[in-house]
Amino acid sequence: MEYSPPPLFKQGAPARVKAIVFALISVVLLVVDARYQTLASVRQVAATVLYPLQMAALMPREALGNMAGYFSSISSLQKEVNELKTQQLAQSRLLQQAQLQMAENAQLRRLMDAKQHLPVQAQMTEILYDARDPSTRRIVIDRGSRHDVVPGLPVIDHAGVVGQVTRVFPFTSEVTLLTDRDQAIPVQVLRSGLRSIAYGRGQSGLLDLRFVVANADIQVGDVLVTSGLDGMYPAGLAVAKVVQVESVAGGTFGRVVGQPLGGIDRNRQLLVIMSQSNLPPKPAPDAKPAATTARRKLPDMAPIPAPPLTPAPLPPQGVPAQPARPPAGVPAQQAGAAPAATAPAPARTPAVQSTAVNPATAVRPANREGQ
């Protein structure tokens, strides 16, 4: 048997011969391509066929490069997002400040216009914070006794009455809003002139007109203004608008609910009216009417003395005594009562008048005894 080596181990032409042959073929191809451009189509076909292989060979490198770019782009994008968020916050803060300033400018313009139209002196103030007691409706403003603020001054805005100064400190003051339960303000219906008193309803933010007669001339939509009868609020300031009229069936009184027109819980800039109504001061609680005082200053009246009585003549002996006739126009009872009241004690002995008889008859028994 003949044994032949495997094809891999078969040796053909020597390697030097092969290298020389292939080198010559390459030189010939280069010369032909450079001279006649005959291999361009072959080159295109080869590039087209080998392109998928090239992409497959370049895929690991592209994957590594894309991965590095992906992480770098994520970090850069996050940085840009953070910067944009910071800028957005700054711009939003500036925008909010601008909007607040615009609202304050509009409010200040309205306040200045209201201040110009007010017939009394007023000064501008700003709300610092709400009162600490959550059960009350009070605010604290930045004007106090150093700014000539006194208790009782009204506080308004461009739309109407807001409240009243109740406590004053050197640099701040406390204002009780209209909607507080302990606050009351005299009002008047602008349409009909009906007068009443508006009370606060607490946290509901409404006003209540109590004890209104059932047939009162008041309707939903009527505007309530200050009547000025209390001497605190100037007359004619807008207070509230009627939003509900309640009538109790079979009752004497009804209830009217009003919505305040002023910025009770909206605006921050307000006006403090520095002068009050020029009404005469109220009398003190212990003062008494002038008529009583003048009556007490009159001198005491002394009793009128009785006129002197003229002694009545005794009736003649033997004639029974007859009572004196009263003068004309005087009743007999009065005529008889006066002497009894003014006569001396001895005159009240009726025995003398009853024994005033004839002396002859009086001594008859004695004569009989003597006989």
Side-chain angles (χ1 to χ4, degrees), residues 314 346 349-357:
L314 294 174
T349 57
V352 178
Q353 296 181 2
S354 62
T355 56
V357 294

Side-chain angles (χ1 to χ4, degrees), residues 209-240:
L209 273 67
R210 307 171 187 171
F211 309 113
V212 179
V213 294
N215 58 350
D217 187 9
I218 185 169
Q219 303 173 1
V220 176
D222 286 343
V223 177
L224 304 178
V225 298
T226 55
S227 61
L229 298 180
D230 59 342
M232 293 292 180
Y233 296 93
L237 297 177
V239 177

